[in-house]
Amino acid sequence: MKQFKDYKKYYKYCGFALLVALLVLPAFSSRAQTAAELTSRINEKNAEIAKLEREIRAFQQEIDKLGKEKTSLSNSIKQLDVSRRKLIADISVTENKIDKTNFRIQELSLEIGDKEGIIRNNMNAIAAEIRRAHELDMANPIVTMLSDKTFTEIWTDIDNMMSVREAIINRTEELRGVKVVLEDTRDVTTQAKNELVALRSQLSDQKKVVDDNTSEKKKLLSQTQNSEASYQRLLKDQEAKKALFEKEIFDYQSQLKYILDPKTLPGPGVLSWPLDHVYVTQQFGAKTGPHRTYVSGHSGTDFRARTPVRAMAMADGIVKGVGDTDLACPGASFGRWVYIEYNNGLGSTYGHLSTITAREGQAVKRGDVVGYTGGTGRVTGPHLHVSLYAANAVKLDAVPSKACPGKILKQPIAATSAYLDPMYYLPPYTQ
């Protein structure tokens, strides 16, 4: 019965201390210090992000103020300069968010390491208890009864065996709990990594917008030679070209035959907003009955976007085309555009983009960024133009232009009867 005495002695004097050491001590002090450092860095990044966001709001207020002033060359240059500074601040915010996400991933990795250590220690504790239980189970009960032990000592040994088995059950449950927490932490880490990938993509887009902004300023200065008179002549020429091209397109689309079947269209409110912050500057078409139609007036809805901001898909669908009409005829049409055919029977063109981030054939989800707003094409100021149609009436067509003799513009074309009021399909709006 020596093994009983050895086991009791081990269990009584060493077992509890061993379990405490296994469960409580895994590299706590060194990890705590590292975790505290990471938390401090995350807090520093949060403070820097908050500071930059205040600067961005100040830049936006300055841009809004400039937008209310008389259109002039100096005003336009100022808007481009402030927009560039705002974009650079946007980039700094994104970079800080990337750093913050990296620190969070490191923090989560430490937590995972701690939990993996607990699991290993629990496994060791369970293995030790199983060995001791096996020793008790292997003992011959008859030999035990005939030994010189008292009944009290025998029942104590039995109690010890039951205690070990209960401890095994408890440790197993603890292990399952730690495993669940570890899996949850892993899921959070994966989410953080996905966020980091998205932020890096956004950072690349933002840098491209800054480059476009700089190119636009250089182009404007080159066209005007920094002369206000030249700038005003440029505006006048663009207005004339815009009016001529709009008439050309309207006349061309009016000749196309299309009978709109309302049964093929979804109900109201099926689309989401294309911008994070919405302010309508011009409505679609004209009100000719219960709804607005494109018998005259504007071919879409315009949204204010005085600085480049992200333009998002309004529903799930496929990017059917992208282009830039300025390459053939500057200042006459959409400029940089994206056409999306949605899965609900609708299609939309986003016009006047500064940067296109989507590609033809790409599947997009509601809320995916397809480009950044701007002032390309026929505009008097930066904004987002959204044309909406019955998708089965749209084709990407090449249109010869009288406004730019000898030039051919490729863009989405549909019969005037296929144009729809975007506001009918968007969420309720109060200006």
Side-chain angles (χ1 to χ4, degrees):
M1 302 312 294
K2 185 175 183 298
Q3 65 175 5
F4 270 74
K5 292 179 181 179
D6 290 345
Y7 169 72
K8 286 196 294 180
K9 192 179 297 182
Y10 172 89
Y11 188 88
K12 182 175 181 180
Y13 297 110
C14 301
F16 182 73
L18 174 62
L19 292 178
V20 169
L22 286 170
L23 294 175
V24 177
L25 296 179
F28 176 79
S29 58
S30 61
R31 288 179 181 271
Q33 184 178 2
T34 307
E37 290 174 355
L38 288 171
T39 300
S40 176
R41 291 183 180 181
I42 289 172
N43 291 337
E44 288 174 3
K45 291 300 174 183
N46 283 332
E48 184 65 21
I49 290 168
K51 177 185 174 184
L52 287 166
E53 287 177 341
R54 288 194 296 271
E55 291 179 6
I56 290 169
R57 286 194 293 271
F59 286 139
Q60 187 62 58
Q61 290 172 358
E62 187 175 353
I63 292 166
D64 291 343
K65 182 181 177 181
L66 289 168
K68 296 174 183 178
E69 296 178 2
K70 181 181 176 180
T71 301
S72 66
L73 177 60
S74 62
N75 181 278
S76 298
I77 295 298
K78 283 180 183 177
Q79 287 194 54
L80 288 170
D81 285 339
V82 177
S83 293
R84 187 173 185 277
R85 289 160 62 196
K86 177 182 176 293
L87 287 167
I88 291 171
D90 287 335
I91 289 172
S92 295
V93 166
T94 303
E95 288 173 336
N96 275 279
K97 287 181 177 178
I98 289 172
D99 291 341
K100 173 186 169 182
T101 306
N102 266 323
F103 290 144
R104 179 57 183 148
I105 289 173
Q106 293 177 45
E107 192 176 51
L108 290 169
S109 297
L110 285 180
E111 293 178 14
I112 289 175
D114 287 340
K115 290 175 177 58
E116 287 177 338
I118 293 173
I119 287 178
R120 285 193 300 269
N121 293 337
N122 277 0
M123 291 290 289
N124 292 337
I126 289 173
E129 289 167 349
I130 289 174
R131 285 195 299 271
R132 298 311 167 195
H134 180 69
E135 290 176 4
L136 288 174
D137 286 338
M138 292 299 292
N140 190 319
I142 301 299
V143 173
T144 301
M145 294 295 293
L146 296 177
S147 69
D148 57 354
K149 283 191 170 192
T150 66
F151 278 104
T152 300
E153 291 175 320
I154 292 173
W155 286 117
T156 299
D157 288 338
I158 294 173
D159 287 341
N160 286 340
M161 183 175 65
M162 296 300 295
S163 297
V164 169
R165 286 179 175 170
E166 288 177 6
I168 291 174
I169 294 171
N170 291 337
R171 293 293 179 270
T172 303
E173 290 303 314
E174 287 178 16
L175 192 59
R176 287 173 181 167
V178 173
K179 181 174 180 292
V180 169
V181 173
L182 186 59
E183 289 171 347
D184 290 343
T185 307
R186 179 194 61 199
D187 293 341
V188 173
T189 306
T190 302
Q191 182 180 347
K193 287 182 179 177
N194 292 339
E195 180 185 345
L196 187 58
V197 170
L199 285 171
R200 291 199 184 282
S201 175
Q202 180 182 327
L203 182 61
S204 175
D205 293 341
Q206 288 172 326
K207 288 179 177 176
K208 190 184 300 182
V209 174
V210 171
D211 292 340
D212 290 338
N213 175 278
T214 304
S215 298
E216 187 177 349
K217 178 182 175 181
K218 289 180 179 178
K219 179 182 176 182
L220 182 58
L221 289 172
S222 174
Q223 288 176 325
T224 62
Q225 296 297 312
N226 208 20
S227 165
E228 182 63 37
S230 298
Y231 178 70
Q232 293 301 328
R233 282 196 301 271
L234 179 65
L235 289 181
K236 188 176 180 179
D237 291 344
Q238 286 179 335
E239 281 296 318
K241 189 187 296 183
K242 168 188 171 184
L244 178 58
F245 187 77
E246 284 183 342
K247 184 178 185 306
E248 287 180 25
I249 290 293
F250 185 83
D251 290 345
Y252 178 77
Q253 294 184 139
S254 296
Q255 297 173 19
L256 300 177
K257 303 301 181 184
Y258 177 76
I259 300 175
L260 180 65
D261 181 3
K263 294 179 181 178
T264 64
L265 300 177
V270 296
L271 301 178
S272 59
W273 295 113
L275 301 175
D276 288 316
H277 304 287
V278 174
Y279 187 92
V280 176
T281 57
Q282 188 173 359
Q283 291 277 9
F284 161 75
K287 195 166 179 62
T288 57
H291 303 294
R292 303 181 72 89
T293 55
Y294 185 38
V295 294
S296 63
H298 193 225
S299 66
T301 299
D302 285 349
F303 298 92
R304 183 167 67 188
R306 291 185 178 133
T307 56
V309 294
R310 57 184 195 166
M312 299 170 289
M314 297 184 289
D316 297 353
I318 302 292
V319 176
K320 288 293 187 176
V322 299
D324 184 357
T325 61
D326 279 352
L327 297 177
C329 188
S333 187
F334 284 130
R336 291 174 183 165
W337 57 267
V338 172
Y339 173 66
I340 307 171
E341 185 176 293
Y342 299 115
N343 299 339
N344 55 21
L346 302 176
S348 72
T349 298
Y350 292 175
H352 314 309
L353 299 173
S354 65
T355 303
I356 297 170
T357 59
R359 65 183 186 279
E360 188 171 332
Q362 177 183 344
V364 292
K365 295 289 186 181
R366 182 189 303 267
D368 283 354
V369 178
V370 297
Y372 283 75
T373 62
T376 57
R378 60 174 196 269
V379 297
T380 55
H383 66 278
L384 175 67
H385 173 94
V386 177
S387 286
L388 191 72
Y389 335 79
N392 60 5
V394 182
K395 60 179 180 178
L396 302 181
D397 206 353
V399 182
S401 172
K402 295 177 183 178
C404 289
K407 301 295 184 179
I408 296 176
L409 281 71
K410 178 188 175 183
Q411 64 180 62
I413 296 291
T416 55
S417 57
Y419 278 76
L420 304 169
D421 182 4
M423 300 303 290
Y424 178 75
Y425 297 95
L426 287 163
Y429 172 74
T430 302
Q431 186 159 304

